[in-house]
PDB file of all heavy atoms in Angstrom:
ATOM      1  N   SER A  43     -84.785-117.126  84.312  1.00 96.00           N
ATOM      2  CA  SER A  43     -86.186-116.877  84.681  1.00 96.00           C
ATOM      3  C   SER A  43     -86.665-115.534  84.153  1.00 96.00           C
ATOM      4  O   SER A  43     -87.825-115.405  83.732  1.00 96.00           O
ATOM      5  CB  SER A  43     -86.353-116.946  86.199  1.00 96.00           C
ATOM      6  OG  SER A  43     -86.061-118.251  86.653  1.00 96.00           O
ATOM      7  N   ILE A  44     -85.795-114.537  84.156  1.00 93.00           N
ATOM      8  CA  ILE A  44     -86.157-113.219  83.616  1.00 93.00           C
ATOM      9  C   ILE A  44     -86.475-113.344  82.127  1.00 93.00           C
ATOM     10  O   ILE A  44     -87.473-112.792  81.647  1.00 93.00           O
ATOM     11  CB  ILE A  44     -85.030-112.198  83.872  1.00 93.00           C
ATOM     12  CG1 ILE A  44     -85.012-111.779  85.344  1.00 93.00           C
ATOM     13  CG2 ILE A  44     -85.175-110.970  82.964  1.00 93.00           C
ATOM     14  CD1 ILE A  44     -83.828-110.932  85.763  1.00 93.00           C
ATOM     15  N   LYS A  45     -85.640-114.076  81.404  1.00 92.00           N
ATOM     16  CA  LYS A  45     -85.862-114.241  79.965  1.00 92.00           C
ATOM     17  C   LYS A  45     -87.159-114.990  79.659  1.00 92.00           C
ATOM     18  O   LYS A  45     -87.806-114.727  78.647  1.00 92.00           O
ATOM     19  CB  LYS A  45     -84.670-114.971  79.335  1.00 92.00           C
ATOM     20  CG  LYS A  45     -83.428-114.127  79.277  1.00 92.00           C
ATOM     21  CD  LYS A  45     -82.234-114.920  78.774  1.00 92.00           C
ATOM     22  CE  LYS A  45     -80.980-114.060  78.885  1.00 92.00           C
ATOM     23  NZ  LYS A  45     -79.764-114.820  78.667  1.00 92.00           N
ATOM     24  N   ARG A  46     -87.539-115.914  80.523  1.00 95.00           N
ATOM     25  CA  ARG A  46     -88.740-116.726  80.300  1.00 95.00           C
ATOM     26  C   ARG A  46     -90.022-116.052  80.781  1.00 95.00           C
ATOM     27  O   ARG A  46     -91.112-116.458  80.401  1.00 95.00           O
ATOM     28  CB  ARG A  46     -88.592-118.073  81.003  1.00 95.00           C
ATOM     29  CG  ARG A  46     -87.554-118.957  80.371  1.00 95.00           C
ATOM     30  CD  ARG A  46     -87.486-120.287  81.070  1.00 95.00           C
ATOM     31  NE  ARG A  46     -86.480-121.127  80.437  1.00 95.00           N
ATOM     32  CZ  ARG A  46     -85.914-122.162  81.000  1.00 95.00           C
ATOM     33  NH1 ARG A  46     -86.257-122.513  82.231  1.00 95.00           N
ATOM     34  NH2 ARG A  46     -85.015-122.868  80.360  1.00 95.00           N
ATOM     35  N   SER A  47     -89.896-115.059  81.625  1.00 94.00           N
ATOM     36  CA  SER A  47     -91.054-114.440  82.255  1.00 94.00           C
ATOM     37  C   SER A  47     -91.684-113.378  81.354  1.00 94.00           C
ATOM     38  O   SER A  47     -90.983-112.599  80.708  1.00 94.00           O
ATOM     39  CB  SER A  47     -90.630-113.794  83.581  1.00 94.00           C
ATOM     40  OG  SER A  47     -91.701-113.085  84.146  1.00 94.00           O
ATOM     41  N   ALA A  48     -92.998-113.333  81.362  1.00 96.00           N
ATOM     42  CA  ALA A  48     -93.715-112.284  80.644  1.00 96.00           C
ATOM     43  C   ALA A  48     -93.607-110.953  81.385  1.00 96.00           C
ATOM     44  O   ALA A  48     -93.659-109.886  80.766  1.00 96.00           O
ATOM     45  CB  ALA A  48     -95.183-112.675  80.482  1.00 96.00           C
ATOM     46  N   ASP A  49     -93.444-111.016  82.687  1.00 96.00           N
ATOM     47  CA  ASP A  49     -93.326-109.808  83.507  1.00 96.00           C
ATOM     48  C   ASP A  49     -92.363-110.082  84.666  1.00 96.00           C
ATOM     49  O   ASP A  49     -92.783-110.320  85.803  1.00 96.00           O
ATOM     50  CB  ASP A  49     -94.699-109.395  84.037  1.00 96.00           C
ATOM     51  CG  ASP A  49     -94.687-108.041  84.728  1.00 96.00           C
ATOM     52  OD1 ASP A  49     -93.601-107.434  84.872  1.00 96.00           O
ATOM     53  OD2 ASP A  49     -95.771-107.592  85.148  1.00 96.00           O
ATOM     54  N   PRO A  50     -91.048-110.068  84.380  1.00 92.00           N
ATOM     55  CA  PRO A  50     -90.076-110.450  85.405  1.00 92.00           C
ATOM     56  C   PRO A  50     -90.094-109.557  86.641  1.00 92.00           C
ATOM     57  O   PRO A  50     -89.806-110.029  87.742  1.00 92.00           O
ATOM     58  CB  PRO A  50     -88.734-110.377  84.686  1.00 92.00           C
ATOM     59  CG  PRO A  50     -88.971-109.579  83.459  1.00 92.00           C
ATOM     60  CD  PRO A  50     -90.420-109.694  83.125  1.00 92.00           C
ATOM     61  N   GLU A  51     -90.461-108.305  86.468  1.00 90.00           N
ATOM     62  CA  GLU A  51     -90.505-107.425  87.632  1.00 90.00           C
ATOM     63  C   GLU A  51     -91.624-107.842  88.579  1.00 90.00           C
ATOM     64  O   GLU A  51     -91.407-108.007  89.784  1.00 90.00           O
ATOM     65  CB  GLU A  51     -90.675-105.967  87.196  1.00 90.00           C
ATOM     66  CG  GLU A  51     -90.514-105.004  88.344  1.00 90.00           C
ATOM     67  CD  GLU A  51     -90.354-103.578  87.898  1.00 90.00           C
ATOM     68  OE1 GLU A  51     -90.632-103.255  86.730  1.00 90.00           O
ATOM     69  OE2 GLU A  51     -89.946-102.777  88.737  1.00 90.00           O
ATOM     70  N   SER A  52     -92.810-108.044  88.046  1.00 93.00           N
ATOM     71  CA  SER A  52     -93.930-108.485  88.888  1.00 93.00           C
ATOM     72  C   SER A  52     -93.704-109.876  89.449  1.00 93.00           C
ATOM     73  O   SER A  52     -94.165-110.192  90.549  1.00 93.00           O
ATOM     74  CB  SER A  52     -95.237-108.475  88.083  1.00 93.00           C
ATOM     75  OG  SER A  52     -95.581-107.153  87.757  1.00 93.00           O
ATOM     76  N   ASP A  53     -92.997-110.717  88.705  1.00 94.00           N
ATOM     77  CA  ASP A  53     -92.711-112.067  89.180  1.00 94.00           C
ATOM     78  C   ASP A  53     -91.612-112.095  90.242  1.00 94.00           C
ATOM     79  O   ASP A  53     -91.327-113.144  90.819  1.00 94.00           O
ATOM     80  CB  ASP A  53     -92.307-112.969  88.012  1.00 94.00           C
ATOM     81  CG  ASP A  53     -93.477-113.269  87.083  1.00 94.00           C
ATOM     82  OD1 ASP A  53     -94.637-113.106  87.499  1.00 94.00           O
ATOM     83  OD2 ASP A  53     -93.217-113.682  85.930  1.00 94.00           O
ATOM     84  N   GLY A  54     -90.956-110.955  90.486  1.00 92.00           N
ATOM     85  CA  GLY A  54     -89.937-110.858  91.532  1.00 92.00           C
ATOM     86  C   GLY A  54     -88.535-111.229  91.091  1.00 92.00           C
ATOM     87  O   GLY A  54     -87.608-111.227  91.907  1.00 92.00           O
ATOM     88  N   TRP A  55     -88.355-111.512  89.812  1.00 95.00           N
ATOM     89  CA  TRP A  55     -87.032-111.949  89.348  1.00 95.00           C
ATOM     90  C   TRP A  55     -86.014-110.822  89.361  1.00 95.00           C
ATOM     91  O   TRP A  55     -84.838-111.046  89.675  1.00 95.00           O
ATOM     92  CB  TRP A  55     -87.125-112.587  87.963  1.00 95.00           C
ATOM     93  CG  TRP A  55     -87.883-113.863  88.000  1.00 95.00           C
ATOM     94  CD1 TRP A  55     -89.054-114.150  87.355  1.00 95.00           C
ATOM     95  CD2 TRP A  55     -87.550-115.034  88.750  1.00 95.00           C
ATOM     96  NE1 TRP A  55     -89.474-115.416  87.668  1.00 95.00           N
ATOM     97  CE2 TRP A  55     -88.570-115.986  88.516  1.00 95.00           C
ATOM     98  CE3 TRP A  55     -86.511-115.372  89.599  1.00 95.00           C
ATOM     99  CZ2 TRP A  55     -88.560-117.256  89.091  1.00 95.00           C
ATOM    100  CZ3 TRP A  55     -86.499-116.637  90.175  1.00 95.00           C
ATOM    101  CH2 TRP A  55     -87.506-117.553  89.924  1.00 95.00           C
ATOM    102  N   CYS A  56     -86.430-109.615  89.038  1.00 92.00           N
ATOM    103  CA  CYS A  56     -85.481-108.489  89.040  1.00 92.00           C
ATOM    104  C   CYS A  56     -84.986-108.209  90.459  1.00 92.00           C
ATOM    105  O   CYS A  56     -83.797-107.975  90.675  1.00 92.00           O
ATOM    106  CB  CYS A  56     -86.134-107.252  88.433  1.00 92.00           C
ATOM    107  SG  CYS A  56     -86.598-107.458  86.693  1.00 92.00           S
ATOM    108  N   GLU A  57     -85.891-108.260  91.411  1.00 94.00           N
ATOM    109  CA  GLU A  57     -85.509-108.052  92.809  1.00 94.00           C
ATOM    110  C   GLU A  57     -84.600-109.176  93.305  1.00 94.00           C
ATOM    111  O   GLU A  57     -83.672-108.946  94.075  1.00 94.00           O
ATOM    112  CB  GLU A  57     -86.747-107.929  93.702  1.00 94.00           C
ATOM    113  CG  GLU A  57     -86.452-107.486  95.109  1.00 94.00           C
ATOM    114  CD  GLU A  57     -85.772-106.122  95.207  1.00 94.00           C
ATOM    115  OE1 GLU A  57     -86.076-105.221  94.408  1.00 94.00           O
ATOM    116  OE2 GLU A  57     -84.910-105.963  96.092  1.00 94.00           O
ATOM    117  N   ALA A  58     -84.855-110.397  92.835  1.00 96.00           N
ATOM    118  CA  ALA A  58     -83.994-111.523  93.214  1.00 96.00           C
ATOM    119  C   ALA A  58     -82.570-111.296  92.704  1.00 96.00           C
ATOM    120  O   ALA A  58     -81.594-111.533  93.422  1.00 96.00           O
ATOM    121  CB  ALA A  58     -84.558-112.840  92.662  1.00 96.00           C
ATOM    122  N   TYR A 150     -83.196-101.045  91.100  1.00 92.00           N
ATOM    123  CA  TYR A 150     -82.122-101.904  90.612  1.00 92.00           C
ATOM    124  C   TYR A 150     -80.770-101.185  90.524  1.00 92.00           C
ATOM    125  O   TYR A 150     -80.022-101.339  89.576  1.00 92.00           O
ATOM    126  CB  TYR A 150     -82.523-102.560  89.293  1.00 92.00           C
ATOM    127  CG  TYR A 150     -83.927-103.103  89.387  1.00 92.00           C
ATOM    128  CD1 TYR A 150     -84.937-102.628  88.564  1.00 92.00           C
ATOM    129  CD2 TYR A 150     -84.249-104.046  90.367  1.00 92.00           C
ATOM    130  CE1 TYR A 150     -86.240-103.100  88.698  1.00 92.00           C
ATOM    131  CE2 TYR A 150     -85.542-104.521  90.496  1.00 92.00           C
ATOM    132  CZ  TYR A 150     -86.532-104.035  89.664  1.00 92.00           C
ATOM    133  OH  TYR A 150     -87.821-104.501  89.809  1.00 92.00           O
TER     134      TYR A 150
END
Side-chain angles (χ1 to χ4, degrees):
S43 296
I44 285 172
K45 289 174 186 169
R46 291 182 180 160
S47 175
D49 188 356
E51 189 166 15
S52 293
D53 290 341
W55 293 118
C56 297
E57 190 60 36
Y150 314 118

